């Protein structure tokens, strides 16, 4: 790919267009010094004047409304949760969003101000967005439909919503928290699928992980995951939905053991259970939780209640990653010995137990087909120890025995 050469004149035109959009609803621009008090240099400056000054690092632009407004300045999470039907702008230098509303009465304004919290929400009767050459204000898509002269009024119902939502965000300032009703599905990031495809976990650890992913998918992390924080979960609610394999241990013990297993493999960084609250952290998952590869709850319910279930689960996870990978693999490229090592059964190789390897491959292939991730090869027969011997000598031939089902479809069939 040939990289497009930077064109200063074209870039300047784009900047002019962005700034001029702000003038349509009634905003004006000043040039200010980049100092503590934002000393005014040019008031009501033209677009060309602003861009000329911004070439100097000591200057900033400032966008002000030409008519009185009420301003709700909020962080990304609160902004997206509120989703107020009015004009808004984004200030890149502070990372805050600004909602513009018609001026409010004193009682309403005071009620809004009582919600103020650093880095979450601030209320102003006068506010200017500052910007530099590389960080111009971002305006809402329907910016042109609004005018400062006819901004919507803040109704009592909307005020109640703002108050309730802001308080919830403030109370959970250091946590990711549930923001909507849990549905029986979850996001399964590719990075996690890849790790699960190389990590042999118990079925109970998989079951717990599914429920954690369900919560994470319905948490505030899917709105803003630019920071890594702890998840706060209602522990009795989590317990109620969990059904584990085996009945010889109390559920609390199984949960603790499953968490410890996930922690040993660096899928969960830490966890804590105190009274009715569960907290846990996972940098790996949080980083990718917005990736919308969806899966239904109970994905591992088809696994047999046997000692081989963790190996089958690992194999299924590996296939799931292969099929959803953007690289669009058309067939398996992994060698048999590598796959067996990945599944934690390399001892079978060391002990030359070829017939057991053949039985395992048949089992894995059967479940891969049941999960819709594999298709049986033409004229398929049971894999034998002779086939295993052949595959160990011909390391690129496994794909002839284990055939991926429609790798470009991106979703498993059930």
């Amino acid at each position: 790919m040939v990289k497009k050469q930077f064109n200063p004149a074209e870039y300047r035109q784009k900047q002019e267009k962005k700034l001029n959009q702000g003038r349509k609803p009634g905003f004006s621009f000043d040039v200010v010094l980049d100092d503590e008090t934002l000393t005014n240099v040019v008031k009501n400056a033209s677009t060309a004047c602003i861009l000329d000054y911004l070439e100097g690092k000591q200057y900033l632009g400032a966008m002000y409304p030409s008519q009185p407004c009420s301003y709700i300045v909020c962080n990304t999470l609160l902004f997206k949760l509120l989703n107020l039907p009015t004009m808004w702008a984004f200030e890149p230098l502070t990372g805050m969003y600004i909602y513009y509303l018609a001026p409010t009465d004193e009682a309403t304004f005071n009620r809004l101000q009582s919600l103020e919290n650093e880095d979450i929400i601030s209320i102003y009767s006068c506010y200017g967005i500052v910007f530099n050459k590389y960080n111009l204000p971002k305006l809402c898509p329907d910016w042109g439909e609004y005018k400062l002269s006819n901004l919507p009024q803040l109704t009592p119902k909307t005020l109640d919503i703002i108050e309730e939502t802001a308080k919830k965000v403030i109370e959970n300032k250091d946590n990711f928290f549930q923001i909507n009703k849990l549905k029986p599905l979850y996001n399964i990031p590719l990075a996690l699928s890849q790790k699960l495809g190389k990590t042999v976990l118990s079925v109970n650890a998989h079951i717990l992980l599914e429920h954690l992913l369900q919560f994470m998918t319905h948490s505030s992390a899917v709105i803003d995951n630019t920071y890594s924080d702890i998840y706060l979960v209602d522990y009795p609610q989590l317990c109620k939905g969990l059904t584990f394999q085996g009945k010889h241990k109390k559920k609390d013990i199984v949960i603790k053991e499953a968490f410890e297993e996930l922690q040993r493999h660096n899928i969960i960084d830490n966890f804590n259970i105190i009274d009715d609250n569960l907290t846990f952290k996972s940098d790996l998952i949080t980083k990718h939780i917005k990736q919308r590869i969806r899966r239904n709850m109970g994905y591992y319910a088809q696994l047999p209640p046997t000692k081989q279930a963790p190996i089958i689960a690992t194999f299924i996870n590996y296939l799931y990653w292969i099929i959803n990978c953007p690289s669009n693999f058309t067939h398996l490229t992994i060698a048999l010995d590598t796959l067996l090592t990945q599944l934690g059964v390399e001892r079978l190789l060391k002990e030359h137990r070829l017939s057991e390897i053949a039985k395992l491959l048949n089992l894995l292939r059967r479940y891969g087909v049941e999960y819709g991730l594999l298709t049986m090869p033409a004229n398929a027969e049971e894999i034998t120890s002779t086939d295993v011997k052949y595959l160990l000598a011909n390391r690129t031939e496994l794909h002839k025995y284990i055939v991926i089902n429609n790798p470009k479809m991106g979703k498993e069939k059930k």
Side-chain angles (χ1 to χ4, degrees), residues 364-379:
L364 295 177
R365 186 169 67 177
R366 177 162 68 85
Y367 275 94
V369 171
E370 286 186 18
Y371 270 82
L373 302 170
L374 296 178
T375 185
M376 291 297 287
N379 303 317

Side-chain angles (χ1 to χ4, degrees), residues 171-172 175-178 212 215 230-239 252 255 259 270-280:
E171 287 171 2
N172 290 279
N175 305 318
F176 292 124
F177 61 97
Q178 187 175 334
L212 298 181
F215 175 81
I230 63 171
Y231 292 83
L232 178 62
V233 181
D234 184 319
Y235 183 61
Q237 181 186 8
L238 176 73
C239 290
D252 286 344
I255 291 173
F259 259 118
N270 54 58
F271 72 98
N272 198 6
I273 302 170
I274 302 178
D275 299 327
D276 288 344
N277 290 322
L278 160 68
T279 59
F280 68 92

Side-chain angles (χ1 to χ4, degrees), residues 72 74 77-85 99 121 158 161-163 165-166:
I72 300 176
C74 49
L77 176 59
L78 183 55
F79 166 75
K80 292 190 176 181
L81 287 176
L82 289 175
N83 194 28
L84 299 179
Y99 278 121
I121 181 171
T158 303
I161 293 172
I162 293 171
E163 192 169 45
T165 308

Side-chain angles (χ1 to χ4, degrees), residues 37-300:
T37 58
L38 298 177
T39 306
N40 198 291
V41 177
V42 181
K43 195 167 181 63
N44 199 17
S46 68
T47 301
C49 176
I50 296 165
L51 294 177
D52 288 342
Y53 269 99
L54 292 186
E55 294 296 333
K57 293 183 179 180
Q58 69 270 36
Y59 298 105
L60 296 173
M63 187 177 82
Y64 291 99
S66 56
Q67 296 188 29
C69 299
S70 292
Y71 309 81
I72 300 176
V73 181
C74 49
N75 67 6
T76 301
L77 176 59
L78 183 55
F79 166 75
K80 292 190 176 181
L81 287 176
L82 289 175
N83 194 28
L84 299 179
T86 187
M87 183 165 59
W88 59 263
F90 176 67
E91 187 174 30
L93 293 182
T94 62
M96 301 293 275
Y97 286 85
I98 300 92
Y99 278 121
Y100 298 93
L101 294 157
T104 61
D105 59 76
E106 186 177 355
T108 300
F109 188 82
N110 290 339
R111 186 175 164 188
L112 283 170
Q113 276 198 316
S114 69
L115 300 171
E116 290 196 323
N117 189 280
E118 187 179 5
D119 299 326
I120 295 178
I121 181 171
S122 298
I123 309 300
Y124 297 95
S125 57
C126 182
Y127 188 88
I129 292 180
V130 293
F131 55 91
N132 61 25
K133 177 182 178 180
Y134 304 103
N135 294 282
L136 300 183
K138 177 184 175 183
L139 313 176
C140 61
D142 51 357
W143 183 272
E145 297 178 13
Y146 293 103
K147 299 288 183 183
L148 289 171
S149 56
N150 62 358
L151 288 173
Q153 294 282 341
L154 189 59
T155 65
K157 182 179 179 180
T158 303
L159 182 59
D160 289 341
I161 293 172
I162 293 171
E163 192 169 45
E164 178 184 349
T165 308
K167 285 181 177 178
K168 192 169 186 178
V169 174
I170 292 167
E171 287 171 2
N172 290 279
K173 188 174 182 178
D174 299 319
N175 305 318
F176 292 124
F177 61 97
Q178 187 175 334
I179 59 173
N180 47 36
K181 186 177 179 180
L182 295 180
K183 296 179 182 178
L185 51 80
Y186 56 88
N187 293 349
I188 175 76
L190 274 177
L192 178 61
S193 290
Q194 184 179 28
K195 185 171 183 64
L196 292 176
K198 298 178 180 179
T199 307
V200 181
L201 296 172
S202 68
V203 175
N204 285 341
H206 279 97
I207 292 170
L208 175 63
L209 180 59
E210 273 199 310
H211 283 77
L212 298 181
L213 287 169
Q214 181 191 30
F215 175 81
M216 297 167 86
T217 301
H218 296 82
S219 77
S220 54
V222 297
I223 292 179
D224 185 8
N225 66 338
T226 54
Y227 58 99
S228 181
D229 221 328
I230 63 171
Y231 292 83
L232 178 62
V233 181
D234 184 319
Y235 183 61
Q237 181 186 8
L238 176 73
C239 290
K240 188 176 180 181
L242 284 166
T243 302
F244 291 115
Q245 282 193 2
K247 298 181 179 179
H248 57 288
K249 293 182 180 178
K250 290 184 178 179
K251 185 177 284 189
D252 286 344
I253 295 175
V254 179
I255 291 173
K256 184 174 180 293
E257 289 177 347
F259 259 118
E260 290 171 346
E261 188 176 352
L262 293 171
Q263 191 173 12
R264 281 197 303 273
H265 293 286
N266 299 313
I267 295 169
I268 298 296
D269 300 321
N270 54 58
F271 72 98
N272 198 6
I273 302 170
I274 302 178
D275 299 327
D276 288 344
N277 290 322
L278 160 68
T279 59
F280 68 92
K281 186 177 181 182
S282 173
D283 290 345
L284 169 68
I285 302 175
T286 300
K287 183 179 179 181
H288 305 284
I289 193 60
K290 288 186 179 182
Q291 193 172 17
R292 288 174 63 86
I293 299 177
R294 290 294 176 89
R295 210 157 72 176
N296 292 328
M297 293 292 292
Y299 188 73
Y300 301 100

Side-chain angles (χ1 to χ4, degrees), residues 376-392:
M376 291 297 287
N379 303 317
E381 296 180 358
E382 288 287 295
I383 299 171
T384 66
S385 57
T386 302
D387 295 320
V388 172
K389 189 174 182 180
Y390 170 80
L391 289 171
L392 291 174

